[in-house]
Amino acid sequence: MFAYLLSALFFAFFLVGVLRDRRRFGNAVYLGLAFVALVVGLLGELDRLPGPLVTAVTVVLMLAPAVGVLVLAGALVSNGATMVRREGIRPANLLSLLAGLTIVAVVALLVTALITRSRTLIVVTGAVVLVVGYVSFLFLCFVCYAFLYERLRVRRSVDFVVVLGSGLVGGDTVPPLLAGRLDRARALFEAQAARGNQPVLITSGGQGPDENLPESHAMADYLIAGGFPAERIVREDRSRTTEENLLFSKAIMTAADPDYRCLIVTNNFHAFRAALTARRTGVRGHVIGAPTAPYFRPSATIREFVAVFLTYKVVNLGVCLLIAVSGMAAWLRL
């Protein structure tokens, strides 16, 4: 019963957090804790089941995580190979491959510790598993809430639609990833116009060292070439990062209307992190994600999680250190 009450309490915190501001990572953690407490409560009900059914459920509960971990590792390694083949060998494209290999390494370490029964190896393995468990919990919270956040919609009218830049190809060409953002922004603009409201569309992106013009100018040219009204576009051409995209766009919007409301468009894998950044920079707007090729999402999602994890690095690394030290101390006392 206590586990159910705890689950209900965390879920209430989650609902309050979403109502206050859906752009909070704490909402993801509350949702994850509610689910964990619910699972613990359900596991406590096992002793009420008939004996054979308890055995069957126990076997499933033991096998499912093991099989799931191995399948996940294989899928990540396969996706990593696909990323390298299609996108080239770059650090960002190796993340899913590295994640899959890390899972394999942790499993191998655990099996070795169980076989050798080395006390030192058991202590180290226990600490590693606890830290990996914490990071995995946060990652699952991130993925699940990001999935939910993508499906939250804003039905009210807005004053601006901000499109975040993502780099040009060949120095001046809008790549498919960025074109998807611009097409999504145009669809949002047209949906607003159909309701009698015509927001200003801000293309946001400065000029990189390997680019012939600011991203915002290439983005605006792409839209205008497709028939979008040029007079409804404002170019923000100084930013180099997502945070600068939002800060400089905020300055434009605030100057035009201090009480502005906006929609921010990026790709779906980037939407939740962009929302967290929008909240941190004080931008009043919801983030909408444009579709991304399925093969690209795993590595991109891992990259986004790593960025969010490091945003709160003092807390997260401190917790990891505390878990590792506590786990090793507990094993040593056995």
Side-chain angles (χ1 to χ4, degrees):
M1 179 61 71
F2 177 73
Y4 293 138
L5 290 175
L6 198 60
S7 177
L9 180 62
F10 283 131
F11 191 70
F13 286 157
F14 163 73
L15 292 178
V16 171
V18 171
L19 291 174
R20 289 180 59 189
D21 193 335
R22 60 186 66 175
R23 307 168 303 170
R24 296 168 59 96
F25 190 71
N27 298 338
V29 175
Y30 285 138
L31 184 60
L33 290 173
F35 178 76
V36 170
L38 178 61
V39 170
V40 170
L42 292 175
L43 290 176
E45 303 290 336
L46 283 179
D47 58 353
R48 299 185 181 183
L49 300 176
L53 188 55
V54 171
T55 302
V57 171
T58 302
V59 170
V60 170
L61 291 176
M62 292 178 64
L63 289 179
V67 173
V69 165
L70 294 177
V71 170
L72 176 61
L76 288 171
V77 170
S78 176
N79 176 257
T82 301
M83 282 292 292
V84 170
R85 187 173 65 253
R86 295 194 180 189
E87 303 290 334
I89 300 178
R90 291 185 298 173
N93 297 336
L94 297 175
L95 289 176
S96 57
L97 176 62
L98 292 175
L101 293 177
T102 298
I103 293 174
V104 172
V106 172
V107 171
L109 181 64
L110 181 59
V111 171
T112 303
L114 292 175
I115 292 174
T116 62
R117 296 186 179 181
S118 165
R119 184 178 181 82
T120 301
L121 192 56
I122 288 175
V123 170
V124 172
T125 302
V128 169
V129 169
L130 288 173
V131 171
V132 169
Y134 171 73
V135 175
S136 299
F137 170 74
L138 290 182
F139 180 71
L140 289 174
C141 290
F142 174 82
V143 170
C144 292
Y145 189 72
F147 177 83
L148 178 62
Y149 182 86
E150 285 182 42
R151 282 148 185 80
L152 299 175
R153 290 292 176 261
V154 177
R155 302 188 183 279
R156 63 182 294 175
S157 295
V158 297
D159 307 296
F160 297 90
V161 176
V162 181
V163 192
L164 306 183
S166 66
L168 303 176
V169 173
D172 55 13
T173 302
V174 171
L177 193 75
L178 184 53
R181 299 184 184 187
L182 293 165
D183 293 340
R184 186 77 172 97
R186 178 170 185 159
L188 292 170
F189 176 90
E190 291 172 350
Q192 290 278 322
R195 292 155 51 182
N197 177 52
Q198 285 206 338
V200 172
L201 193 148
I202 300 177
T203 54
S204 179
Q207 183 172 350
D210 58 345
E211 294 173 338
N212 302 325
L213 74 168
E215 293 172 21
S216 60
H217 291 217
M219 293 159 69
D221 292 343
Y222 173 90
L223 289 168
I224 294 170
F228 193 90
E231 67 274 9
R232 304 306 299 172
I233 298 176
V234 172
R235 297 168 175 83
E236 182 287 297
D237 57 9
R238 295 184 296 152
S239 56
R240 298 292 184 88
T241 64
T242 297
E243 185 168 345
E244 289 184 353
N245 285 145
L246 294 168
L247 284 171
F248 295 152
S249 296
K250 175 186 174 184
I252 293 172
M253 294 185 288
T254 302
D257 180 3
D259 296 321
Y260 74 90
R261 290 287 172 180
C262 72
L263 292 175
I264 302 159
V265 183
T266 183
N267 286 92
N268 44 21
F269 65 81
H270 184 236
F272 185 39
R273 182 162 75 93
L276 296 176
T277 306
R279 179 177 180 271
R280 191 170 65 250
T281 54
V283 176
R284 293 193 297 274
H286 182 71
V287 181
I288 304 292
T292 308
Y295 80 88
F296 194 84
R297 287 202 68 170
S299 281
T301 300
I302 293 171
R303 183 177 70 241
E304 295 299 303
F305 169 72
V306 170
V308 172
F309 185 88
L310 293 178
T311 298
Y312 307 99
K313 57 180 176 293
V314 174
V315 173
N316 285 322
L317 295 179
V319 170
C320 287
L321 180 61
L322 180 62
I323 289 175
V325 172
S326 300
M328 292 178 71
W331 277 103
L332 290 171
R333 283 199 296 269
L334 292 179

Short mmCIF file of all heavy atoms in Angstrom, two decimals, residues 67-85 91-107 132 135-136 139-140 143 294-303 305:
data_model
loop_
_atom_site.label_atom_id
_atom_site.label_comp_id
_atom_site.label_asym_id
_atom_site.label_seq_id
_atom_site.Cartn_x
_atom_site.Cartn_y
_atom_site.Cartn_z
N VAL A 67 17.13 -10.26 -21.53
CA VAL A 67 16.93 -10.31 -22.98
C VAL A 67 16.82 -8.90 -23.54
O VAL A 67 17.40 -8.57 -24.59
CB VAL A 67 15.68 -11.14 -23.33
CG1 VAL A 67 15.38 -11.06 -24.83
CG2 VAL A 67 15.87 -12.59 -22.91
N GLY A 68 16.09 -8.04 -22.82
CA GLY A 68 15.92 -6.66 -23.28
C GLY A 68 17.24 -5.91 -23.40
O GLY A 68 17.46 -5.18 -24.36
N VAL A 69 18.12 -6.12 -22.41
CA VAL A 69 19.42 -5.44 -22.42
C VAL A 69 20.25 -5.91 -23.61
O VAL A 69 20.88 -5.11 -24.30
CB VAL A 69 20.17 -5.71 -21.09
CG1 VAL A 69 21.63 -5.34 -21.22
CG2 VAL A 69 19.52 -4.91 -19.96
N LEU A 70 20.25 -7.21 -23.87
CA LEU A 70 21.03 -7.74 -24.99
C LEU A 70 20.47 -7.28 -26.33
O LEU A 70 21.24 -6.93 -27.24
CB LEU A 70 21.05 -9.28 -24.93
CG LEU A 70 21.80 -9.87 -23.72
CD1 LEU A 70 21.69 -11.39 -23.72
CD2 LEU A 70 23.27 -9.45 -23.74
N VAL A 71 19.14 -7.27 -26.44
CA VAL A 71 18.52 -6.79 -27.68
C VAL A 71 18.84 -5.31 -27.89
O VAL A 71 19.15 -4.86 -29.00
CB VAL A 71 16.99 -7.03 -27.65
CG1 VAL A 71 16.31 -6.31 -28.81
CG2 VAL A 71 16.69 -8.51 -27.71
N LEU A 72 18.75 -4.53 -26.80
CA LEU A 72 19.06 -3.10 -26.88
C LEU A 72 20.50 -2.88 -27.32
O LEU A 72 20.78 -2.03 -28.18
CB LEU A 72 18.81 -2.43 -25.53
CG LEU A 72 19.17 -0.95 -25.43
CD1 LEU A 72 18.34 -0.12 -26.42
CD2 LEU A 72 18.96 -0.44 -24.01
N ALA A 73 21.42 -3.63 -26.73
CA ALA A 73 22.83 -3.49 -27.10
C ALA A 73 23.04 -3.79 -28.58
O ALA A 73 23.73 -3.05 -29.29
CB ALA A 73 23.69 -4.43 -26.24
N GLY A 74 22.42 -4.87 -29.05
CA GLY A 74 22.54 -5.22 -30.46
C GLY A 74 21.95 -4.16 -31.37
O GLY A 74 22.54 -3.82 -32.41
N ALA A 75 20.79 -3.62 -30.98
CA ALA A 75 20.14 -2.58 -31.79
C ALA A 75 20.99 -1.32 -31.86
O ALA A 75 21.10 -0.68 -32.91
CB ALA A 75 18.76 -2.27 -31.22
N LEU A 76 21.61 -0.96 -30.73
CA LEU A 76 22.45 0.25 -30.71
C LEU A 76 23.71 0.07 -31.55
O LEU A 76 24.11 0.99 -32.27
CB LEU A 76 22.81 0.59 -29.26
CG LEU A 76 21.68 1.15 -28.40
CD1 LEU A 76 22.11 1.25 -26.94
CD2 LEU A 76 21.24 2.52 -28.90
N VAL A 77 24.32 -1.10 -31.46
CA VAL A 77 25.52 -1.35 -32.28
C VAL A 77 25.16 -1.32 -33.76
O VAL A 77 25.88 -0.73 -34.58
CB VAL A 77 26.15 -2.70 -31.90
CG1 VAL A 77 27.24 -3.08 -32.90
CG2 VAL A 77 26.73 -2.64 -30.49
N SER A 78 24.02 -1.93 -34.11
CA SER A 78 23.57 -1.93 -35.50
C SER A 78 23.28 -0.52 -35.98
O SER A 78 23.67 -0.13 -37.10
CB SER A 78 22.32 -2.80 -35.64
OG SER A 78 21.80 -2.74 -36.95
N ASN A 79 22.62 0.27 -35.13
CA ASN A 79 22.33 1.65 -35.51
C ASN A 79 23.61 2.47 -35.64
O ASN A 79 23.73 3.32 -36.53
CB ASN A 79 21.42 2.31 -34.47
CG ASN A 79 21.15 3.77 -34.75
OD1 ASN A 79 21.73 4.65 -34.13
ND2 ASN A 79 20.30 4.03 -35.73
N GLY A 80 24.59 2.18 -34.77
CA GLY A 80 25.87 2.88 -34.87
C GLY A 80 26.56 2.61 -36.19
O GLY A 80 27.11 3.52 -36.82
N ALA A 81 26.49 1.36 -36.66
CA ALA A 81 27.07 1.02 -37.95
C ALA A 81 26.35 1.75 -39.07
O ALA A 81 26.98 2.25 -40.02
CB ALA A 81 27.00 -0.49 -38.17
N THR A 82 25.02 1.86 -38.96
CA THR A 82 24.24 2.58 -39.96
C THR A 82 24.60 4.06 -39.99
O THR A 82 24.75 4.67 -41.05
CB THR A 82 22.73 2.43 -39.68
OG1 THR A 82 22.38 1.04 -39.71
CG2 THR A 82 21.89 3.17 -40.73
N MET A 83 24.77 4.64 -38.80
CA MET A 83 25.13 6.06 -38.72
C MET A 83 26.48 6.32 -39.37
O MET A 83 26.65 7.29 -40.12
CB MET A 83 25.17 6.50 -37.25
CG MET A 83 23.82 6.76 -36.63
SD MET A 83 23.00 8.21 -37.33
CE MET A 83 24.07 9.52 -36.73
N VAL A 84 27.44 5.45 -39.10
CA VAL A 84 28.77 5.63 -39.70
C VAL A 84 28.70 5.50 -41.22
O VAL A 84 29.32 6.27 -41.96
CB VAL A 84 29.76 4.60 -39.11
CG1 VAL A 84 31.07 4.62 -39.89
CG2 VAL A 84 30.02 4.90 -37.64
N ARG A 85 27.91 4.54 -41.68
CA ARG A 85 27.79 4.33 -43.12
C ARG A 85 27.13 5.50 -43.83
O ARG A 85 27.54 5.90 -44.92
CB ARG A 85 27.01 3.04 -43.38
CG ARG A 85 26.98 2.62 -44.86
CD ARG A 85 26.34 1.27 -45.06
NE ARG A 85 24.94 1.23 -44.69
CZ ARG A 85 24.45 0.65 -43.63
NH1 ARG A 85 25.26 0.04 -42.77
NH2 ARG A 85 23.15 0.67 -43.36
N PRO A 91 32.45 12.03 -33.98
CA PRO A 91 32.10 11.67 -32.60
C PRO A 91 30.59 11.59 -32.37
O PRO A 91 30.12 10.65 -31.71
CB PRO A 91 32.74 12.81 -31.79
CG PRO A 91 33.92 13.22 -32.60
CD PRO A 91 33.47 13.10 -34.04
N ALA A 92 29.84 12.56 -32.88
CA ALA A 92 28.39 12.57 -32.65
C ALA A 92 27.70 11.38 -33.28
O ALA A 92 26.65 10.93 -32.81
CB ALA A 92 27.78 13.87 -33.20
N ASN A 93 28.28 10.83 -34.37
CA ASN A 93 27.67 9.70 -35.06
C ASN A 93 28.04 8.36 -34.44
O ASN A 93 27.54 7.32 -34.88
CB ASN A 93 28.09 9.70 -36.53
CG ASN A 93 27.61 10.93 -37.27
OD1 ASN A 93 26.63 11.56 -36.86
ND2 ASN A 93 28.28 11.29 -38.34
N LEU A 94 28.93 8.37 -33.46
CA LEU A 94 29.38 7.13 -32.84
C LEU A 94 28.69 6.84 -31.52
O LEU A 94 28.96 5.82 -30.88
CB LEU A 94 30.90 7.20 -32.60
CG LEU A 94 31.78 7.33 -33.85
CD1 LEU A 94 33.23 7.50 -33.43
CD2 LEU A 94 31.64 6.11 -34.75
N LEU A 95 27.78 7.73 -31.09
CA LEU A 95 27.21 7.61 -29.75
C LEU A 95 26.40 6.34 -29.55
O LEU A 95 26.51 5.68 -28.51
CB LEU A 95 26.35 8.84 -29.45
CG LEU A 95 27.13 10.14 -29.24
CD1 LEU A 95 26.19 11.31 -29.04
CD2 LEU A 95 28.08 10.02 -28.06
N SER A 96 25.55 5.99 -30.51
CA SER A 96 24.76 4.77 -30.34
C SER A 96 25.66 3.54 -30.33
O SER A 96 25.44 2.59 -29.56
CB SER A 96 23.68 4.65 -31.42
OG SER A 96 24.25 4.68 -32.71
N LEU A 97 26.68 3.53 -31.17
CA LEU A 97 27.63 2.42 -31.19
C LEU A 97 28.35 2.32 -29.85
O LEU A 97 28.49 1.22 -29.27
CB LEU A 97 28.65 2.63 -32.32
CG LEU A 97 29.78 1.61 -32.43
CD1 LEU A 97 29.23 0.22 -32.71
CD2 LEU A 97 30.78 2.02 -33.51
N LEU A 98 28.82 3.44 -29.32
CA LEU A 98 29.51 3.44 -28.04
C LEU A 98 28.59 3.02 -26.90
O LEU A 98 29.01 2.30 -25.99
CB LEU A 98 30.09 4.83 -27.76
CG LEU A 98 31.24 5.28 -28.68
CD1 LEU A 98 31.62 6.72 -28.38
CD2 LEU A 98 32.43 4.36 -28.54
N ALA A 99 27.32 3.45 -26.96
CA ALA A 99 26.36 3.06 -25.93
C ALA A 99 26.13 1.55 -25.95
O ALA A 99 26.09 0.89 -24.90
CB ALA A 99 25.04 3.79 -26.14
N GLY A 100 25.99 0.98 -27.16
CA GLY A 100 25.81 -0.46 -27.27
C GLY A 100 27.01 -1.23 -26.75
O GLY A 100 26.87 -2.23 -26.02
N LEU A 101 28.20 -0.78 -27.11
CA LEU A 101 29.42 -1.45 -26.64
C LEU A 101 29.60 -1.31 -25.13
O LEU A 101 30.11 -2.22 -24.46
CB LEU A 101 30.64 -0.88 -27.37
CG LEU A 101 30.71 -1.17 -28.88
CD1 LEU A 101 31.92 -0.49 -29.50
CD2 LEU A 101 30.75 -2.68 -29.14
N THR A 102 29.16 -0.18 -24.58
CA THR A 102 29.23 0.01 -23.12
C THR A 102 28.33 -0.99 -22.40
O THR A 102 28.71 -1.56 -21.37
CB THR A 102 28.82 1.45 -22.76
OG1 THR A 102 29.73 2.38 -23.37
CG2 THR A 102 28.84 1.65 -21.25
N ILE A 103 27.13 -1.19 -22.94
CA ILE A 103 26.22 -2.18 -22.34
C ILE A 103 26.85 -3.57 -22.37
O ILE A 103 26.82 -4.31 -21.38
CB ILE A 103 24.87 -2.19 -23.09
CG1 ILE A 103 24.15 -0.87 -22.86
CG2 ILE A 103 24.01 -3.35 -22.63
CD1 ILE A 103 22.88 -0.72 -23.68
N VAL A 104 27.44 -3.92 -23.51
CA VAL A 104 28.10 -5.22 -23.64
C VAL A 104 29.24 -5.34 -22.62
O VAL A 104 29.41 -6.38 -21.96
CB VAL A 104 28.65 -5.42 -25.07
CG1 VAL A 104 29.51 -6.68 -25.14
CG2 VAL A 104 27.51 -5.51 -26.06
N ALA A 105 30.00 -4.28 -22.44
CA ALA A 105 31.13 -4.30 -21.50
C ALA A 105 30.65 -4.47 -20.06
O ALA A 105 31.24 -5.24 -19.28
CB ALA A 105 31.93 -3.00 -21.64
N VAL A 106 29.57 -3.79 -19.69
CA VAL A 106 29.04 -3.91 -18.33
C VAL A 106 28.51 -5.32 -18.09
O VAL A 106 28.74 -5.92 -17.02
CB VAL A 106 27.93 -2.87 -18.09
CG1 VAL A 106 27.24 -3.11 -16.75
CG2 VAL A 106 28.50 -1.46 -18.11
N VAL A 107 27.82 -5.89 -19.08
CA VAL A 107 27.32 -7.26 -18.94
C VAL A 107 28.48 -8.24 -18.80
O VAL A 107 28.46 -9.15 -17.96
CB VAL A 107 26.45 -7.64 -20.16
CG1 VAL A 107 26.11 -9.13 -20.14
CG2 VAL A 107 25.16 -6.82 -20.17
N VAL A 132 25.54 2.97 -13.44
CA VAL A 132 24.86 2.76 -14.71
C VAL A 132 23.34 2.74 -14.51
O VAL A 132 22.59 3.27 -15.33
CB VAL A 132 25.34 1.44 -15.37
CG1 VAL A 132 24.45 1.07 -16.55
CG2 VAL A 132 26.78 1.57 -15.83
N VAL A 135 22.19 6.41 -14.16
CA VAL A 135 22.21 7.10 -15.46
C VAL A 135 21.12 6.55 -16.37
O VAL A 135 20.44 7.31 -17.07
CB VAL A 135 23.60 6.97 -16.12
CG1 VAL A 135 23.58 7.59 -17.51
CG2 VAL A 135 24.66 7.64 -15.25
N SER A 136 20.91 5.24 -16.33
CA SER A 136 19.88 4.62 -17.16
C SER A 136 18.49 5.09 -16.75
O SER A 136 17.62 5.33 -17.60
CB SER A 136 19.95 3.09 -17.06
OG SER A 136 21.20 2.62 -17.52
N PHE A 139 18.04 8.49 -18.11
CA PHE A 139 17.87 8.42 -19.57
C PHE A 139 16.46 7.99 -19.93
O PHE A 139 15.84 8.57 -20.84
CB PHE A 139 18.89 7.45 -20.16
CG PHE A 139 18.79 7.32 -21.65
CD1 PHE A 139 19.19 8.36 -22.48
CD2 PHE A 139 18.28 6.16 -22.23
CE1 PHE A 139 19.08 8.25 -23.86
CE2 PHE A 139 18.17 6.04 -23.60
CZ PHE A 139 18.57 7.08 -24.42
N LEU A 140 15.94 6.99 -19.25
CA LEU A 140 14.57 6.54 -19.52
C LEU A 140 13.56 7.64 -19.19
O LEU A 140 12.58 7.83 -19.92
CB LEU A 140 14.27 5.27 -18.73
CG LEU A 140 15.00 4.01 -19.21
CD1 LEU A 140 14.73 2.85 -18.25
CD2 LEU A 140 14.56 3.64 -20.62
N VAL A 143 13.80 10.12 -22.11
CA VAL A 143 13.18 9.63 -23.35
C VAL A 143 11.67 9.62 -23.25
O VAL A 143 10.97 10.07 -24.17
CB VAL A 143 13.72 8.22 -23.68
CG1 VAL A 143 12.92 7.59 -24.82
CG2 VAL A 143 15.19 8.28 -24.05
N PRO A 294 14.34 8.03 -38.94
CA PRO A 294 14.42 7.11 -37.79
C PRO A 294 15.84 6.66 -37.45
O PRO A 294 16.19 6.54 -36.27
CB PRO A 294 13.56 5.93 -38.26
CG PRO A 294 12.58 6.51 -39.21
CD PRO A 294 13.34 7.59 -39.93
N TYR A 295 16.67 6.41 -38.45
CA TYR A 295 18.02 5.92 -38.17
C TYR A 295 18.86 6.96 -37.44
O TYR A 295 19.84 6.64 -36.75
CB TYR A 295 18.73 5.50 -39.47
CG TYR A 295 19.30 6.64 -40.27
CD1 TYR A 295 20.59 7.11 -40.03
CD2 TYR A 295 18.55 7.28 -41.26
CE1 TYR A 295 21.12 8.17 -40.76
CE2 TYR A 295 19.07 8.33 -41.99
CZ TYR A 295 20.35 8.77 -41.75
OH TYR A 295 20.86 9.82 -42.47
N PHE A 296 18.50 8.25 -37.58
CA PHE A 296 19.28 9.34 -37.00
C PHE A 296 18.94 9.57 -35.53
O PHE A 296 19.75 10.11 -34.78
CB PHE A 296 19.00 10.62 -37.80
CG PHE A 296 19.96 11.74 -37.54
CD1 PHE A 296 21.18 11.82 -38.20
CD2 PHE A 296 19.66 12.74 -36.61
CE1 PHE A 296 22.07 12.85 -37.96
CE2 PHE A 296 20.53 13.77 -36.35
CZ PHE A 296 21.74 13.83 -37.04
N ARG A 297 17.75 9.13 -35.11
CA ARG A 297 17.25 9.51 -33.79
C ARG A 297 18.01 8.91 -32.61
O ARG A 297 18.25 9.60 -31.61
CB ARG A 297 15.76 9.19 -33.66
CG ARG A 297 14.88 10.12 -34.45
CD ARG A 297 13.46 10.16 -33.92
NE ARG A 297 13.39 10.77 -32.60
CZ ARG A 297 12.25 11.09 -32.01
NH1 ARG A 297 11.10 10.90 -32.64
NH2 ARG A 297 12.23 11.63 -30.82
N PRO A 298 18.40 7.61 -32.64
CA PRO A 298 19.08 7.07 -31.45
C PRO A 298 20.32 7.85 -31.03
O PRO A 298 20.46 8.25 -29.88
CB PRO A 298 19.42 5.63 -31.87
CG PRO A 298 18.36 5.28 -32.86
CD PRO A 298 18.12 6.54 -33.63
N SER A 299 21.25 8.06 -31.98
CA SER A 299 22.46 8.82 -31.64
C SER A 299 22.13 10.24 -31.23
O SER A 299 22.72 10.79 -30.28
CB SER A 299 23.43 8.83 -32.84
OG SER A 299 24.13 7.62 -32.92
N ALA A 300 21.19 10.86 -31.95
CA ALA A 300 20.81 12.24 -31.64
C ALA A 300 20.19 12.33 -30.25
O ALA A 300 20.46 13.27 -29.49
CB ALA A 300 19.84 12.76 -32.70
N THR A 301 19.36 11.35 -29.89
CA THR A 301 18.72 11.35 -28.58
C THR A 301 19.75 11.17 -27.47
O THR A 301 19.69 11.83 -26.43
CB THR A 301 17.67 10.23 -28.49
OG1 THR A 301 16.66 10.45 -29.50
CG2 THR A 301 17.00 10.20 -27.12
N ILE A 302 20.72 10.28 -27.69
CA ILE A 302 21.79 10.09 -26.70
C ILE A 302 22.58 11.38 -26.53
O ILE A 302 22.92 11.79 -25.41
CB ILE A 302 22.70 8.93 -27.12
CG1 ILE A 302 21.94 7.61 -27.05
CG2 ILE A 302 23.92 8.86 -26.20
CD1 ILE A 302 22.68 6.44 -27.65
N ARG A 303 22.88 12.05 -27.65
CA ARG A 303 23.62 13.32 -27.59
C ARG A 303 22.84 14.36 -26.79
O ARG A 303 23.41 15.08 -25.97
CB ARG A 303 23.88 13.83 -29.00
CG ARG A 303 24.71 15.10 -29.02
CD ARG A 303 25.02 15.55 -30.44
NE ARG A 303 23.83 16.04 -31.13
CZ ARG A 303 23.33 15.52 -32.23
NH1 ARG A 303 23.88 14.46 -32.78
NH2 ARG A 303 22.26 16.03 -32.81
N PHE A 305 20.60 13.77 -24.45
CA PHE A 305 20.60 13.39 -23.04
C PHE A 305 21.92 13.76 -22.37
O PHE A 305 21.94 14.27 -21.25
CB PHE A 305 20.33 11.90 -22.89
CG PHE A 305 20.56 11.41 -21.49
CD1 PHE A 305 19.68 11.74 -20.47
CD2 PHE A 305 21.69 10.64 -21.17
CE1 PHE A 305 19.90 11.32 -19.16
CE2 PHE A 305 21.92 10.21 -19.88
CZ PHE A 305 21.02 10.55 -18.87
#
